[in-house]
Amino acid sequence: MTLGNPGRRLERERDSVKYMIEIYCRSVHGMREGICPDCRDMLDYSFNRLDKCRLLPDKPTCARCPVTCYSPAMRERIRAVMRYSSPKMAFRHPLLSLLHLFDGLNRSCRE
């Protein structure tokens, strides 16, 4: 079962990562507009990993993915961002958060 168009789901995943990094950078790094260079690098890295995912088009959400494509250092950085930003996403982007939750329940990855 695939919830909606896989291309749209990937766009939602990009949006989720982007908004989480923006929330984190504004709160933790004090950026008022845009994001700092370190967070920009993390965002670019995340988008690059999504673009090069070998499980496309049936890619699961990153939390359910059997493939570890992030470097250990970057994985720790993005985990810190997600730990901080995930609770705030429900209030700032409720529809996107709900759709991400449904995407996580989807078993589109071939087992």
Side-chain angles (χ1 to χ4, degrees):
M1 170 184 126
T2 300
L3 183 64
N5 180 340
R8 284 189 129 163
R9 199 185 63 67
L10 195 58
E11 275 305 309
R12 284 196 307 269
E13 195 157 337
R14 278 189 180 90
D15 288 344
S16 295
V17 169
K18 178 181 150 232
Y19 291 137
M20 284 185 188
I21 290 173
E22 286 175 353
I23 290 168
Y24 179 84
C25 192
R26 285 189 180 128
S27 296
V28 175
H29 298 153
M31 296 299 291
R32 290 190 174 205
E33 290 185 30
I35 58 177
C36 71
D38 285 342
C39 288
R40 170 57 57 194
D41 290 343
M42 188 176 4
L43 182 62
D44 292 343
Y45 182 88
S46 297
F47 283 2
N48 186 33
R49 297 288 84 203
L50 283 171
D51 291 341
K52 293 184 179 182
C53 181
R54 66 182 186 177
L55 298 177
L56 291 175
D58 297 326
K59 182 197 174 315
T61 58
C62 291
R64 296 200 51 189
C65 191
V67 178
T68 305
C69 65
Y70 278 61
S71 70
M74 195 60 78
R75 188 169 43 246
E76 285 308 310
R77 286 177 63 191
I78 199 72
R79 278 185 183 157
V81 167
M82 289 183 180
R83 259 191 311 269
Y84 182 86
S85 301
S86 292
K88 293 162 182 55
M89 284 288 289
F91 296 104
R92 295 191 182 166
H93 302 283
L95 181 59
L96 187 60
S97 297
L98 186 61
L99 290 171
H100 187 71
L101 178 67
F102 285 132
D103 289 341
L105 298 174
N106 183 14
R107 293 188 177 267
S108 64
C109 183
R110 296 180 188 121
E111 298 176 26

